[in-house]
Amino acid sequence: MDAETPQAAELNLPQAFLLLATNDQDGKPEVPMFALRTALAGAILAELELIGAIGLQGKHVRATGAAPPTELQHQLELIRGKSRPHTPKRWVSMLEGRAEVQRVYEGMAARGIVEHVGEKHLGLFRSVRYPEKDHAPEAALLEKIRAALGGAPADAGSPPAAGAPDAAASDAGTPESAAPDTGASAAGAPDARTTALIALLQAAGLLGKLVPAADKIRASELAKDYWPSRAVEDELRMIRLAEEEEPGISGI
């Protein structure tokens, strides 16, 4: 897939995903925290792949020779610095965490998209929420998803959906494009960023909540073989299995 750097006013994939995964009104996640962290890690990989900084070679994620400007420089350097390559699922488990979630939220708060709201308990700030402050970015994301999949949005209080990539995978010996083949005509094909976001939202179990009437078959076609979202699904499956065996292991 051709590298696609987000424009100045456009959200990167981690920001777009987290915005859509957060309730507009109360600023709380629409999915369990473990699912939010895991899917956000997948969005980080998806963004780095989308801008051409990493690719899938065989079964492992590898940094490319490109050095595009990115807000995810720290995560990119982690991937570059590993002496041994890791699978996408392994990277999802390594990149997920509270710090990443907070960093992305605070970046959107600095842009005036969400508001940092601290809740005090016994005089101390014990929890933070991020209700929506500017609806325009979310509305733009939802418009793209509706154009790609059809369907009306969920009620106004729910987060709208956003975009993701569409690209064909290359041969096993070369970096594979992260985005799946859309199979759509040029006129109706969503852009790569929208396709990637659709795949991530579906992996997190959010797509149906955001756009209940979306074409599920079309969504599956767009997400097919998209390695970042597949890694999210695999990691979530493992977490849920572990939770069944040992309740509470997944944390919050």
Side-chain angles (χ1 to χ4, degrees), residues 24-252:
D24 297 351
Q25 305 302 318
D26 63 25
K28 296 179 180 179
E30 296 280 11
V31 294
M33 187 57 71
F34 75 86
L36 189 78
R37 296 173 185 170
T38 300
L40 184 65
I44 291 171
L45 292 176
E47 178 67 26
L48 290 174
E49 192 278 341
L50 194 63
I51 65 175
I54 64 173
L56 189 66
Q57 294 185 12
K59 296 181 178 180
H60 298 106
V61 177
R62 296 180 186 272
T64 66
T70 174
E71 296 175 322
L72 305 173
Q73 193 64 38
H74 173 68
Q75 293 85 346
L76 177 56
E77 291 304 323
L78 285 177
I79 296 174
R80 283 177 173 164
K82 285 294 179 183
S83 58
R84 296 177 59 186
H86 295 308
T87 63
K89 179 179 175 297
R90 176 61 174 154
W91 273 116
V92 164
S93 68
M94 292 173 68
L95 291 174
E96 70 91 18
R98 282 177 178 269
E100 291 295 343
V101 173
Q102 184 176 11
R103 180 188 62 78
V104 177
Y105 270 134
E106 290 297 334
M108 290 193 290
R111 294 176 61 174
I113 298 170
V114 299
E115 183 177 5
H116 177 126
V117 178
E119 295 184 345
K120 283 187 175 182
H121 298 276
L122 300 178
L124 300 174
F125 285 102
R126 293 300 182 102
S127 62
V128 179
R129 298 179 293 107
Y130 293 89
E132 188 176 80
K133 189 174 182 181
D134 178 5
H135 185 64
E138 186 180 12
L141 292 172
L142 179 57
E143 182 179 356
K144 287 185 177 183
I145 264 206
R146 293 179 65 192
L149 300 178
D155 61 69
S158 302
D166 68 320
S170 63
D171 294 335
T174 58
E176 297 178 359
S177 288
D181 183 3
T182 64
S185 66
D191 60 63
R193 193 165 288 279
T194 300
T195 305
L197 190 52
I198 288 172
L200 291 164
L201 290 168
Q202 187 174 50
L206 278 166
L207 189 59
K209 296 179 181 180
L210 297 172
V211 189
D215 185 336
K216 294 179 177 60
I217 295 177
R218 170 69 169 151
S220 296
E221 289 175 350
L222 291 175
K224 183 181 179 182
D225 298 328
Y226 184 48
W227 65 263
S229 62
R230 194 166 63 235
V232 170
E233 291 173 345
D234 290 345
E235 180 65 13
L236 287 176
R237 188 178 302 112
M238 293 298 295
I239 292 173
R240 288 173 179 130
L241 285 174
E243 180 71 24
E244 290 177 5
E245 295 179 0
E246 188 178 344
I249 195 173
S250 62
I252 298 176

